[in-house]
Amino acid sequence: MSLIVDIERNLPGFRLTVSLKTGSGTLGLLGPSGSGKSMTLRCIAGLERPTAGRISLAGQVLFDAAKGINLPPQRRRIGFLFQHYALFPNLTVSGNIAMGLRGIGRKEQAGIIGEMVALVKLEGLENRYPRQLSGGQQQRAALARALAPRPQVLLLDEPFSALDNHLRGEMEQEVAVLLGNFHGAAVFVSHNTEEVYRLCPDLLVLENGKVTAVGPREGIFSNPPTLAIARMMGCQNLSRIRNKNDGRVEALDWGCCLRLPAATVIAGASHIGIYGNHIRPAGNGDGENILEGRVVNIIEAPHYVTISVKPAKTVDGGCLKIIWPKEMWGKPGPQKQQSLKLQLPPEKIFLIRDLRY
Amino acid sequence: MDTNPLWISLKTALAATFAVFVLGLIAARFMSVYRGRWRSVLDGLFIMPLLLPPTVVGFLLLVVFGRHGPLGQILALFDTSVIFSWSATVIAATVVAFPLMYRTALGAFEQVDRDLLDAARTMGVPEINIFTGITVPLAWPGIAAGTILAFARALGEFGATLMLAGNIPGRTQTIPMAIFFLVESGQRTKAAIWVLVIIVISMGAILGLQYWTNRQGLMLARNKEGRL
């Protein structure tokens, strides 16, 4: 069962070009608001018509602009979970689920409804109306409803964005279990990187209507191909570089020269980056890739501190953001204006070839 | 006193309301999805009877249904004519009341969350069932309001009816028609009785509408309380 999408959708002032292929398992569609994630889902579901291209599912053509094929959503067998659930307010939970169960006997229908209600743990609430359910329960009802017609693909459009924080984690785990048991392909859309990372082994990143990264999440995380993706992944330490042609680069924003792992192809790269938690304290300054700076700001979170360090040899460059677990420092902790030596381990530095900047 | 105008008026208004209900819903449903280039033209056409003076509508209906008009010629093939018959009162009332139903229903349809319709589509629900099972129930308050407005308008129709159906006592003479000709012939007391009758029926319809809206409001309030 594989979903193959290769489409283009042109709107005034916006152009979406996306190709993706996914089998069973969950594909994460990540990107900032307005990057075309939701539009991609709507095109796959048949709710919106692409301008050009082709969509096929398990060998069946759902859409083909050249051949004039465009199956209506009713005949695509693609389940859709909406951001705000879109439960029918005039129908009970059972009624909502029954909507998608057509052409089968009452008895069988009741059987499937019972099965779905049990699957999402809504037993006893079958006769409630959506307004009588909490946010999490509404989400569960929407899931049961989407799964009831046994879709071949499940599309989830920012499913947790309308939930409170404490419910999010809970629902995320339940959805993870459901997706794990789901027999078909699933596409999960979100602008929340951590959420996508936890739920989806494979990612596709959309930026401004274009695919800028696709592949296993680990690869995209450890080697983000664009600056925007690096930032999405939570990396704020990015610097323009100049190649020193001796295995080192000059980090222009940090005012220092850094060695990269041997055999790294530097030519063509525009930036380097390093995650804040990969930067280590350098003690008295022995070793490679040492950078000296001054602490300008400290932000404490429950389990870690984010320390902004301004490199000593830079005029207008930005600060490095370092994320350290609290235990690493001990009391009294880092102080503002304190001078600090940092080590940027070569193997943790990644290169970005983002020539648009 | 001749009670024929009351029955003719009620029969006409009810028949016209039924016709307007069906036609108005179909037109509103069509316009809620149609985004083609004729949209504005069609919308204008549907609203037109509300904007034109009733006598103008009556004149145009005479042209259409007259002996040489397009529909008149078709009817002539079956040896019938609607002009100056009871059907004419229904046609005139339907055309004049149609925009009220159409516009109110269209507004109500457009208020329905599009995600709900899309959700139903992805669940495999055919368009006709989406319309009857989701759109209409959710737009019901608006549809009910449109229906009552259309009924009141049909009941009060005068100008177009006079042009197309004439004033034939016992056949096409509705209450508004009776009032006009009673006053004209100086029988003011009888006219006043009919005026009272019309006021009672119209007030009844309006009160019914308000009762309906209040009940909706109550239900909304109850919804909020019912939320966990």
Side-chain angles (χ1 to χ4, degrees):
Chain A
M1 176 111 44
S2 66
L3 173 70
I4 303 166
V5 178
D6 186 3
I7 50 167
E8 214 174 278
R9 172 104 169 89
N10 294 325
L11 290 176
F14 185 77
R15 185 194 181 100
L16 173 74
T17 316
V18 57
S19 301
L20 67 87
K21 188 176 181 313
T22 179
S24 49
T26 310
L27 174 74
L29 224 64
L30 186 65
S33 310
S35 56
K37 309 182 297 285
S38 292
M39 197 189 283
T40 306
L41 284 200
R42 293 178 62 81
C43 284
I44 296 173
L47 299 173
E48 213 151 319
R49 192 196 171 103
T51 316
R54 203 167 180 279
I55 301 172
S56 71
L57 173 62
Q60 190 198 6
V61 177
L62 302 182
F63 175 80
D64 192 326
K67 289 186 189 152
I69 299 171
N70 186 22
L71 283 193
Q74 281 93 339
R75 287 177 51 203
R76 294 196 181 196
R77 297 197 57 199
I78 292 180
F80 204 118
L81 196 65
F82 288 81
Q83 194 170 353
H84 298 287
Y85 322 131
L87 292 168
F88 309 129
N90 56 323
L91 298 175
T92 60
V93 171
S94 294
N96 265 278
I97 301 174
M99 254 292 175
L101 303 170
R102 321 209 127 243
I104 58 172
R106 283 207 165 268
K107 221 172 162 189
E108 200 183 335
Q109 206 176 54
I112 297 176
I113 292 173
E115 190 187 321
M116 287 302 142
V117 166
L119 182 72
V120 298
K121 304 191 194 98
L122 277 182
E123 290 105 330
L125 302 177
E126 295 92 336
N127 295 320
R128 294 257 186 120
Y129 285 90
R131 60 175 182 270
Q132 298 167 322
L133 300 174
S134 70
Q137 289 166 341
Q138 289 186 24
Q139 169 101 76
R140 293 201 182 100
L143 261 168
R145 190 182 69 171
L147 290 170
R150 311 221 180 272
Q152 294 179 289
V153 178
L154 188 61
L155 307 176
L156 304 96
D157 190 3
E158 305 259 7
F160 308 124
S161 62
L163 288 174
D164 294 339
N165 253 341
H166 67 282
L167 269 174
R168 264 176 176 240
E170 202 179 302
M171 277 315 295
E172 193 188 299
Q173 284 177 18
E174 289 186 23
V175 167
V177 172
L178 281 175
L179 287 178
N181 294 330
F182 184 61
H183 55 89
V187 182
F188 178 92
V189 155
S190 174
H191 63 265
N192 182 326
T193 308
E194 299 204 359
E195 196 174 275
V196 174
Y197 196 90
R198 285 191 294 261
L199 282 170
C200 314
D202 288 292
L203 301 184
L204 182 140
V205 184
L206 272 175
E207 280 177 65
N208 202 13
K210 282 184 188 58
V211 179
T212 50
V214 58
R217 60 183 169 193
E218 292 80 9
I220 296 175
F221 181 76
S222 60
N223 252 316
T226 70
L227 288 176
I229 294 175
R231 291 198 188 98
M232 257 183 247
M233 295 288 158
C235 179
Q236 289 165 302
N237 303 318
L238 299 161
S239 167
R240 291 166 294 148
I241 53 167
R242 185 183 299 141
N243 193 351
K244 303 285 276 184
N245 292 319
D246 59 355
R248 296 186 310 157
V249 293
E250 184 184 349
L252 299 173
D253 292 311
W254 302 335
C256 65
C257 281
L258 297 169
R259 180 166 299 284
L260 297 181
T264 309
V265 181
I266 298 171
S270 60
H271 293 76
I272 54 166
I274 183 164
Y275 286 95
N277 56 323
H278 287 155
I279 299 177
R280 296 198 205 119
N284 50 12
D286 295 334
E288 265 184 326
N289 290 357
I290 303 297
L291 188 151
E292 203 176 338
R294 196 163 40 79
V295 177
V296 293
N297 198 14
I298 300 162
I299 299 165
E300 283 199 43
H303 304 295
Y304 56 88
V305 280
T306 304
I307 307 164
S308 301
V309 173
K310 189 151 181 87
K313 287 181 198 150
T314 172
V315 194
D316 54 348
C319 287
L320 284 149
K321 294 253 193 306
I322 302 152
I323 299 165
W324 280 339
K326 283 190 165 170
E327 306 82 61
M328 195 154 161
W329 198 277
K331 301 268 170 177
Q335 300 297 313
K336 273 194 191 176
Q337 303 305 328
Q338 180 186 343
S339 178
L340 205 57
K341 286 201 174 73
L342 302 169
Q343 188 188 25
L344 280 54
E347 70 278 8
K348 299 292 190 191
I349 297 173
F350 55 82
L351 285 164
I352 295 174
R353 291 174 174 77
D354 201 339
L355 300 172
R356 289 173 300 165
Y357 298 91
Chain B
M1 189 171 155
D2 177 21
T3 56
N4 268 328
L6 174 63
W7 307 123
I8 292 171
S9 263
L10 283 179
K11 253 169 55 187
T12 302
L14 286 174
T17 306
F18 177 75
V20 160
F21 183 83
V22 175
L23 296 174
L25 283 190
I26 292 173
R29 150 73 211 195
F30 173 75
M31 290 298 278
S32 70
V33 291
Y34 178 67
R35 292 284 176 275
R37 63 160 116 173
W38 298 107
R39 187 179 161 80
S40 317
V41 176
L42 273 176
D43 189 57
L45 211 65
F46 288 157
I47 292 294
M48 203 54 104
L50 189 69
L51 306 176
L52 293 174
T55 44
V56 173
V57 175
F59 181 88
L60 292 174
L61 286 174
L62 266 181
V63 170
V64 172
F65 284 99
R67 197 174 301 251
H68 304 292
L71 287 179
Q73 282 181 344
I74 293 172
L75 287 170
L77 291 177
F78 301 95
D79 251 350
T80 53
S81 164
V82 295
I83 293 177
F84 299 130
S85 71
W86 177 70
S87 329
T89 65
V90 178
I91 291 170
T94 302
V95 169
V96 169
F98 172 83
L100 290 166
M101 180 68 192
Y102 158 71
R103 248 305 144 98
T104 323
L106 181 59
F109 288 166
E110 281 170 352
Q111 289 294 310
V112 176
D113 184 356
R114 302 206 66 80
D115 277 355
L116 296 180
L117 313 181
D118 282 344
R121 290 188 180 109
T122 60
M123 290 161 69
V125 186
E127 294 294 331
I128 178 77
N129 299 66
I130 295 177
F131 183 65
T132 56
I134 297 163
T135 312
V136 168
L138 291 179
W140 190 249
I143 295 172
T147 311
I148 288 170
L149 286 174
F151 174 78
R153 183 67 187 84
L155 188 70
E157 170 45 30
F158 178 79
T161 312
L162 185 60
M163 303 275 291
L164 195 68
N167 174 43
I168 307 169
R171 270 178 67 196
T172 66
Q173 192 186 57
T174 58
I175 300 178
M177 214 76 77
I179 292 169
F180 179 81
F181 288 100
L182 284 171
V183 171
E184 206 185 36
S185 61
Q187 306 179 58
R188 295 187 69 112
T189 323
K190 278 188 177 176
I193 293 171
W194 284 126
V195 166
L196 269 175
V197 170
I198 279 276
I199 289 175
V200 166
I201 299 175
S202 297
M203 279 303 281
I206 293 298
L207 286 178
L209 173 62
Q210 274 174 359
Y211 171 74
W212 176 272
T213 336
N214 285 344
R215 235 183 52 159
Q216 292 298 313
L218 274 180
M219 265 173 68
L220 279 180
R222 226 177 284 147
N223 288 356
K224 273 181 198 144
E225 284 162 28
R227 191 175 256 282
L228 292 179

